Amino acid sequence: NIAFVMIFQALVVTFVAIVIAFYLITKPLIKIANFLHEMAPGSKERLKIPAFHKRSELGKLVVDINKFHPFYWMDIFISNAY
């Protein structure tokens, strides 16, 4: 009986960890990748930082990708001028 309970608990914890990892890591990465694939070269579109990732590695990745955007540095210059 105790072995069955422990196995069940392990399965529940594993399932919860997989669901959390999917929603916090995999799903935002898929959204970033899909947006990059749909972006037209030279457009003014930018990636949006996923929710809850403003200070995480995914947020930093989006900021770094947006730095490659041709209008990024011009917008920084203009926003600092005012």
Side-chain angles (χ1 to χ4, degrees):
N1 246 355
I2 294 175
F4 175 75
V5 171
M6 291 179 69
I7 291 171
F8 180 74
Q9 286 178 340
L11 289 173
V12 169
V13 169
T14 301
F15 178 75
V16 169
I18 289 171
V19 169
I20 290 172
F22 176 76
Y23 281 102
L24 290 180
I25 300 168
T26 306
K27 194 171 180 179
L29 269 175
I30 291 170
K31 286 183 179 182
I32 291 169
N34 287 339
F35 190 80
L36 280 173
H37 289 295
E38 294 170 4
M39 246 168 111
S43 70
K44 287 193 169 189
E45 291 179 297
R46 296 219 176 124
L47 289 171
K48 294 177 184 159
I49 298 175
F52 307 111
H53 289 286
K54 294 196 186 303
R55 295 185 180 143
S56 74
E57 290 81 8
L58 285 178
K60 291 176 185 177
L61 176 67
V62 169
V63 169
D64 290 342
I65 290 170
N66 284 336
K67 285 181 184 178
F68 287 109
H69 196 281
F71 297 102
Y72 175 80
W73 296 108
M74 185 184 337
D75 291 346
I76 293 295
F77 177 74
I78 291 170
S79 66
N80 287 337
Y82 295 104

